[in-house]
Amino acid sequence: MSLKDQIGEDIKTAMKAKDKIRLETVRSIKKAILEKEVSVRPSGQTELTEAQEIEILVQLAKQRRDSIAQYEQAGRTELAAQESQELTILEEYLPKQLSDAEVEQAIAEIIAQVGATSAKDMGKVMGPAMQQLKGKADGQKVQAIVKAKLGG
């Protein structure tokens, strides 16, 4: 079942359960998928690839994390709590997140592959790291681990 089909089923389930936050969150995912599908049609693509779907989910999750941080900074705990609930729902659709140890191991392998030795080589490592870990680890966490390993 594609993500789009799964979202359609989950919208029906949330409507029946009268789960307002889940319904709004799942609808926002559907909206993002439809917008992306429209944007790729001119290139002849009719359906999104799994990587494109994950990219959308990662982007939506990042937006929620940023909003949570901003609301907490402004003392708006009720809004931060709502964003946090939405983030939890979004994460159900994302691939299982890797642990810090798994991310560190993957980055160590990439550093060895590209022959990175100092902070100057960070760009050489970040490209392959983000490609390999996309949707499986937060980009900021990956960047922090790469910096630490390269002594930056």
Side-chain angles (χ1 to χ4, degrees):
M1 179 183 289
S2 74
L3 178 64
K4 189 176 174 181
D5 296 337
Q6 177 69 44
I7 294 296
E9 291 300 313
D10 290 350
I11 286 175
K12 290 176 195 170
T13 305
M15 288 171 104
K16 288 177 185 172
K18 294 182 174 39
D19 186 344
K20 187 179 174 194
I21 290 181
R22 179 171 290 278
L23 181 60
E24 287 177 14
T25 305
V26 177
R27 279 184 173 158
S28 73
I29 297 170
K30 183 175 183 177
K31 178 180 177 262
I33 290 171
L34 291 174
E35 286 173 354
K36 182 72 171 183
E37 281 182 342
V38 168
S39 73
V40 299
R41 273 192 202 135
S43 66
Q45 187 177 350
T46 56
E47 287 196 9
L48 297 180
T49 63
E50 188 176 337
Q52 288 171 318
E53 292 174 343
I54 289 172
E55 190 177 307
I56 291 168
L57 293 170
V58 167
Q59 184 179 11
L60 292 172
K62 183 182 183 326
Q63 289 172 348
R64 296 305 187 291
R65 286 189 196 97
D66 292 345
S67 295
I68 290 168
Q70 289 175 359
Y71 286 141
E72 286 176 346
Q73 236 176 0
R76 302 290 308 268
T77 54
E78 71 286 351
L79 292 173
Q82 181 177 341
E83 292 286 329
S84 183
Q85 288 176 311
E86 291 178 13
L87 178 60
T88 302
I89 293 166
L90 274 167
E91 287 174 340
E92 292 173 13
Y93 298 100
L94 282 168
K96 181 185 158 292
Q97 296 291 296
L98 298 176
S99 68
D100 288 355
E102 291 170 318
V103 173
E104 284 184 27
Q105 181 182 353
I107 290 172
E109 290 170 9
I110 292 167
I111 288 172
Q113 285 173 358
V114 299
T117 55
S118 69
K120 291 178 185 172
D121 298 325
M122 191 161 171
K124 278 194 222 174
V125 177
M126 283 302 294
M130 289 310 298
Q131 195 169 20
Q132 182 178 333
L133 301 171
K134 186 150 202 98
K136 298 177 189 170
D138 180 52
Q140 291 176 332
K141 181 192 294 186
V142 172
Q143 184 179 17
I145 293 172
V146 170
K147 263 186 186 174
K149 289 203 176 286
L150 293 178

